[in-house]
Amino acid sequence: MSIYSAALRPECVRSLVCMNLTAGPKAAEVIAHAYHGENADDVRAGGLDALRDGNQDSAARMDDPELVEELESVGAEKFIAWSDAEATFVRTHAVDGYPLVAIRSDTLARIRAPSLGIHTFGGFDGMHTAEAIRNFASGVSGSECEFYDPRTV
């Protein structure tokens, strides 16, 4: 969200620091499932009430009466369709023209705030890669990137 905020509302962002960004198909698959697929699967299995017992994020949202009312007005079928569409978007927007998962090159180019990308992972998870930070730094004019080995810091 911080990248989108910096790109879409540059007048509101004084500086931007991003850490351990995600890039590539593995990251896209994990994010698509964790943020969208799990919720859709929960609702398929148990209706909208299943979100109360789902992942921490969805359970917290179900504590918001306005959001619950909005979800109930949309219904389980449309919620599932939206979640599936979001998961598909994330899965398919992690390759050419997308230097970060679901972030296009032209989005990065719109960032005007002084920016710093920090990488502290060893790349061992295949999602939070040094390549992602390099993509960020090359896409944002005047940005910098720093690399730290967590074993030595």
Side-chain angles (χ1 to χ4, degrees), residues 52 58-65 68:
R52 293 184 198 286
S58 64
R61 290 180 184 160
M62 295 305 283
D63 287 339
D64 180 342
V68 171

Side-chain angles (χ1 to χ4, degrees), residues 2-10 13 106-108 110-112:
S2 59
I3 290 173
Y4 279 115
S5 296
L8 300 175
R9 299 289 307 270
V13 178
D106 60 338
T107 301
L108 291 177
R110 289 197 304 248
I111 296 173
R112 297 290 171 247

Side-chain angles (χ1 to χ4, degrees), residues 22-104:
T22 55
K26 180 180 180 181
E29 182 57 40
V30 170
I31 291 168
H33 180 70
Y35 288 108
H36 306 293
E38 285 181 9
N39 286 337
D41 291 345
D42 289 346
V43 173
R44 275 188 196 90
L48 290 172
D49 283 337
L51 292 175
R52 293 184 198 286
D53 300 321
N55 65 49
Q56 182 179 6
D57 188 45
S58 64
R61 290 180 184 160
M62 295 305 283
D63 287 339
D64 180 342
E66 288 180 24
L67 182 56
V68 171
E69 184 178 326
E70 186 176 335
L71 283 171
E72 289 172 347
S73 73
V74 168
E77 190 173 306
K78 286 184 180 175
F79 177 84
I80 291 167
W82 174 84
S83 294
D84 287 342
E86 285 290 311
T88 298
F89 174 84
V90 171
R91 282 184 187 103
T92 57
H93 291 81
V95 289
D96 298 335
Y98 290 84
L100 303 171
V101 172
I103 306 283
R104 292 171 28 147

